[in-house]
Amino acid sequence: DQQVKQNSPSLSVQEGRISILNCDYTNSMFDYFLWYKKYPAEGPTFLISISSIKDKNEDGRFTVFLNKSAKHLSLHIVPSQPGDSAVYFCAASESGGGADGLTFGKGTHLIIQP
Amino acid sequence: DTGVSQNPRHKITKRGQNVTFRCDPISEHNRLYWYRQTLGQGPEFLTYFQNEAQLEKSRLLSDRFSAERPKGSFSTLEIQRTEQGDSAMYLCASSFSGIEQFFGPGTRLTVL
């Protein structure tokens, strides 16, 4: 059973607008959440993370929001740029990412249209 | 380049052959992780080392899979008697804090 779910396989957004990528999780033991971006033929690249004790973390154009009661997080990209077109993975960790590694969702393919 | 490196980038093998992949982590990172990614899925955690100690290996997919990290530096992942279902991207990641993991480019395995 998927513990991290990204229910939108793809998302198309116009350049300059806001991109919102969503992620839901079922395991209440997750205490850290991360977003990764992946281009074809490359490994995932770390974007931004958030601890479960926070509800928001911002880094430049990227902001992650966490709603623990709903077990939901989202990644906002403002403004969206053509280079943001990639697959975005939501990932979660128990115990600070120790022995369990990271649990990933299936990814959302973001397409930025000119 | 001081990122995570993986070799080879691509491997084509025949069913039943053994294959070995290498991962060189970022030099100051003491934690090293292996993942597998199949088409349409996110990376799936396989195993984890802290320095030379393999602290988690129950997620390895079968006893045909094994990993080593001698001297706590580079790591190897071996698959014995490969099967067509082993075809996937094998990713290595390293970390210092254990939270933010930095991935290599992966090794794409094709089993014919």
Side-chain angles (χ1 to χ4, degrees):
Chain A
D1 188 32
Q2 282 263 309
Q3 297 185 65
V4 176
K5 300 177 183 179
Q6 295 178 257
N7 292 320
S8 299
S10 66
L11 175 67
S12 184
V13 174
Q14 200 165 15
E15 181 180 357
R17 307 293 290 268
I18 183 171
S19 295
I20 300 176
L21 296 101
N22 293 304
C23 177
D24 297 292
Y25 62 96
T26 58
N27 185 348
S28 58
M29 298 301 292
F30 287 143
D31 58 4
Y32 218 89
F33 302 90
L34 306 90
W35 284 93
Y36 282 83
K37 172 182 178 180
K38 187 181 184 302
Y39 294 119
E42 295 183 10
T45 301
F46 170 74
L47 271 179
I48 191 168
S49 62
I50 187 167
S51 165
S52 60
I53 63 173
K54 297 186 176 181
D55 56 17
K56 177 181 174 181
N57 188 28
E58 190 172 356
D59 183 1
R61 296 187 299 115
F62 302 92
T63 303
V64 57
F65 296 92
L66 174 63
N67 182 334
K68 281 188 67 177
S69 61
K71 293 191 174 68
H72 176 83
L73 62 155
S74 61
L75 174 68
H76 293 211
I77 307 173
V78 183
S80 300
Q81 299 175 352
D84 296 331
S85 295
V87 177
Y88 288 78
F89 290 99
C90 173
S93 167
E94 294 181 53
S95 303
D100 288 342
L102 297 176
T103 301
F104 283 81
K106 292 185 177 183
T108 296
H109 185 193
L110 177 64
I111 302 162
I112 305 302
Q113 295 184 334
Chain B
D1 186 8
T2 57
V4 177
S5 62
Q6 292 187 246
N7 288 289
R9 294 292 306 275
H10 303 274
K11 178 71 177 178
I12 300 173
T13 191
K14 293 183 179 178
R15 188 175 54 185
Q17 297 294 305
N18 298 344
V19 294
T20 300
F21 310 139
R22 177 177 169 129
C23 171
D24 288 89
I26 295 171
S27 59
E28 63 268 26
H29 286 184
N30 60 345
R31 298 183 181 188
L32 188 149
Y33 301 80
W34 284 98
Y35 291 81
R36 182 183 76 157
Q37 185 178 16
T38 54
L39 196 62
Q41 303 293 317
E44 175 187 11
F45 171 65
L46 296 178
T47 189
Y48 151 65
F49 292 85
Q50 180 158 312
N51 300 312
E52 66 275 10
Q54 189 172 14
L55 298 186
E56 173 61 64
K57 56 182 179 180
S58 65
R59 304 279 192 92
L60 286 168
L61 300 164
S62 78
D63 58 7
R64 297 184 297 105
F65 287 71
S66 62
E68 293 183 343
R69 192 183 183 196
K71 302 178 183 178
S73 55
F74 71 92
S75 175
T76 57
L77 177 70
E78 181 182 17
I79 309 174
Q80 295 182 330
R81 306 181 302 280
T82 52
E83 301 173 357
Q84 288 185 324
D86 297 333
S87 295
M89 177 74 83
Y90 290 85
L91 294 162
C92 173
S94 70
S95 171
F96 184 74
S97 69
I99 297 174
E100 297 158 2
Q101 297 177 18
F102 296 87
F103 284 81
T107 294
R108 179 163 295 283
L109 172 66
T110 302
V111 182
L112 301 176

